[in-house]
Amino acid sequence: MTSYALLGWLLLLLLLQFSCLLAWQDYKDYKVFELQPEDDDQVQLLRQLFWQQPHWDFLGSRLSYNESGYRVLVAPNQAESLVKQLQTHMIEYQLLSDDLSQLVKAQREDNQRNKARFTLPFIDVIGAFYTHTEINEYLDSLPQRYPQRALVKQFGWSYERRPLKLLTINNGDGRANKPVIFIDAAMHAREWIAPSLALYIIQQLLDNYAENEQLLKDYDWVIMPVVNADGYEFSHTDSRYWRKNRKPTWDPENIGTDLNRNFGYMWGLDEGASPDPSNETYRGEHAFDQPESQVVRDVLLHYSDRLSFYLSLHSYGNYLLLPWGHTSSFPSNYLDMMQVADAGAMAILQATNGIYSYGSGYHLMYSTSGDSTDYAVGVANATVAITMELPAGGFLGFDPWISHIEGIVTESWVGVRAMALEVEKLDQAKAKKKLISIN
Ligand SMILES: *[C@@H]1O[C@H](CO)[C@@H](O)[C@H](O)[C@H]1NC(C)=O
Ligand SMILES: *[C@@H]1O[C@H](CO)[C@@H](O)[C@H](O)[C@H]1NC(C)=O
Ligand SMILES: *[C@@H]1O[C@H](CO)[C@@H](O)[C@H](O)[C@H]1NC(C)=O
Ligand SMILES: [Zn+2]
């Protein structure tokens, strides 16, 4: 088995199992180990051990392809048996953290310290992670600074009645109904780097307009930095690694639905999402029974007759995932989408040596049903739809340090920019073809 495939496999375990085991704990005395298997035999052995031990949590650490270590998170009472197994099989390991709650606390304090340097609505995107409330305040301040170019719209409310806002950005030339590039982020609460990138994109298009003029010439950009507002706030205040939203389910033991399994295209298939509220990929009782996925649906449908590009920002893993997620077959314009993903991945490779994998979600990762990009292409007629899994950071992948924000968002912007320009190229080629066929 190649190490790439193994990493993908570990990531799968991580995404599906990770915080269902942890959701309500404050990570007191949770241990993080890094394992260094020496050869394929040891890798196989680890695989076996992990299937047998559902309480050991694998954190596919894919900081880059250079990293060979695999991280494991275990509850305090599991640490001893893990160490025993590793020693028995002579697998090298290192204890990275003896008490994960210390890391969560340290990062929280780091963030508070950094934020103290700014006064809302002015923020430094690369200087801290911001709450949904702070981000909304920042968004609300932009139309004043850019009256011709920025407009805040509210499409609805979260379950806990937080206003769900998005920003539309244009170049102020007064031309209406241009094709749209729609970007959303933080459908999953703990993926904090995603809103950071959304904010960075906003600043590039507004504050750094001279350099990015071309991107707005024939396109309007619509940006929603936080979809899962309640879950995201909860990850700031309570449980750092929370993923789902915060609406109660029929099961009093379990709160939250995976918004990215709640969309109404091929929702409810046997594979690719869970009917069980305790699962991290719980799909809800019906498609769109969650207010936050309804809002994204409404935005997609609102712009559906001119939606050139839908980009959903997630973390982590360095993937550009295309539809379909629910089936092994491909949408009709799959090759166009591959061309866009390829442009993004190559631009990043050239800029930083960062390596992205790209292809259909089903083939690259695992099946997903009811995700937002499948809906965007299957129902809302988006020409191109991509889920971008940003690079990992920090201890568990979801928790980069503030000092890493700049590196990640500047690299990612190179990719987003290149993808947008490729979409433009495709649209132009299509328009030309149409013209020729009319002639
Ligand atoms: C891997 O590490 C080598 C040596 O440290 C470095 O030159 C190279 O750029 C790294 N590659 C990636 C993809 O990070
Ligand atoms: C959660 O649901 C997924 C999708 O149905 C399934 O593959 C996975 O095994 C479930 N995880 C747990 C811990 O039950
Ligand atoms: C998407 O395109 C199909 C086929 O042209 C059309 O029937 C459908 O109404 C469109 N969907 C939306 C949401 O506009
Ligand atoms: Zn995600």
Side-chain angles (χ1 to χ4, degrees), residues 204-221:
Q204 288 301 309
L205 296 173
L206 289 176
D207 305 340
N208 200 13
Y209 176 62
E211 242 174 68
N212 295 306
E213 213 175 328
Q214 178 63 27
L215 298 171
L216 288 157
K217 187 165 159 280
D218 294 316
Y219 292 84
D220 291 341
W221 289 57

Side-chain angles (χ1 to χ4, degrees), residues 116-127:
R117 296 191 284 123
F118 318 114
T119 318
L120 282 167
F122 295 100
I123 61 173
D124 175 6
V125 167
I126 59 175

Side-chain angles (χ1 to χ4, degrees), residues 64-66 352-355:
S64 81
Y65 277 107
N66 272 1
T352 61
N353 276 329
I355 297 181

